[in-house]
Amino acid sequence: MVAVNLTDRFGQALQYAFELHREQRRKGSDTPYMAHLLGVASLVLEDGGDEDSAIAALFHDAVEDQGGLETLEKIRKRFGERVAEIVDSCTDSYEIPKPPWRGRKERYLAHLRQASADARRVALADKLYNARSILYDLERIGDDVWGRFRGGKEGTLWYYQSLVESFRDDASVLAGELTDVVERIMLLAEDAQSGV
């Protein structure tokens, strides 16, 4: 693996991500949204991603949550075409309100098959971070966690199983961990349903 040196550009991206997301919280919690962005960027770097990929990880939700295509253009101007392409590829909607959940997720899953290796790495890191959070909350608060998600329990479980399938052939430790975490989520969901 090639050593990655982070430059002042990463620091500038970190500052801009903070400006965009400073008021945002994680679904159903008081956790600052920056925790998620930092976690995803960390996973990308640990998986061998370069500085552009790590910067894209900081912005992977910016277009959906903080201004749409206008925000994407600002990212492109400040951090370059490659970062913007990765962010664009990780975005499942530019519309407000967002289109219906299931169709949006089906289109995103289909898009992942064609996405670049860099975009897949960022998307995989994002989904792994989210799956870890679901598992943590499922162990802590049980089935109440499903109320946070537009897809509810059934839709969310379908989506994460589909993500495991989408990333199954990726030669990444992250893909293996996503599989393990989703399997644990499925077991807990089944245990809750059967009353175990």
Side-chain angles (χ1 to χ4, degrees):
M1 190 179 306
V2 177
V4 175
N5 293 318
L6 298 178
T7 66
D8 288 344
R9 197 166 153 260
F10 182 83
Q12 293 162 8
L14 191 57
Q15 179 61 41
Y16 187 46
F18 176 70
E19 290 170 21
L20 290 171
H21 296 277
R22 74 185 313 150
E23 301 298 323
Q24 196 174 349
R25 302 278 173 200
R26 291 283 284 166
K27 280 182 191 172
S29 79
D30 288 327
T31 304
Y33 203 76
M34 284 301 297
H36 172 64
L37 302 178
L38 291 167
V40 173
S42 175
L43 288 171
V44 165
L45 288 168
E46 289 172 9
D47 192 55
D50 61 10
E51 184 176 52
D52 277 351
S53 296
I55 289 171
L58 293 173
F59 296 130
H60 75 273
D61 282 333
V63 176
E64 284 179 39
D65 296 346
Q66 302 298 330
L69 289 171
E70 183 180 326
T71 298
L72 182 61
E73 286 312 306
K74 289 178 182 176
I75 291 167
R76 187 182 320 279
K77 286 179 183 166
R78 290 179 74 171
F79 301 100
E81 186 64 34
R82 185 163 170 252
V83 170
E85 285 177 2
I86 296 168
V87 172
D88 185 38
S89 195
C90 291
T91 301
D92 76 5
S93 176
Y94 303 101
E95 302 170 48
I96 297 175
K98 291 180 179 181
W101 183 84
R102 179 72 181 231
R104 188 164 38 94
K105 296 306 179 188
E106 287 171 349
R107 284 187 297 279
Y108 182 74
L109 287 163
H111 162 74
L112 272 179
R113 289 186 212 112
Q114 271 59 218
S116 71
D118 293 324
R120 285 180 65 84
R121 175 181 278 131
V122 172
L124 176 54
D126 173 39
K127 303 316 178 201
L128 174 57
Y129 189 98
N130 288 339
R132 286 176 174 175
S133 295
I134 291 169
L135 179 61
Y136 175 79
D137 287 340
L138 195 54
E139 290 173 335
R140 203 168 44 92
I141 63 172
D143 261 7
D144 289 347
V145 73
W146 305 118
R148 297 177 183 171
F149 301 102
R150 288 190 183 152
K153 180 178 182 177
E154 184 179 314
T156 304
L157 292 174
W158 160 80
Y159 184 52
Y160 277 87
Q161 287 175 306
S162 299
L163 287 165
V164 166
E165 287 303 313
S166 291
F167 290 115
R168 186 170 304 286
D169 294 331
D170 286 42
S172 168
V173 172
L174 301 182
E177 186 178 348
L178 179 67
T179 299
D180 294 344
V181 171
V182 171
E183 284 175 2
R184 289 176 60 200
I185 290 170
M186 296 302 295
L187 285 172
L188 286 175
E190 288 169 14
D191 288 350
Q193 191 161 344
S194 64
V196 174

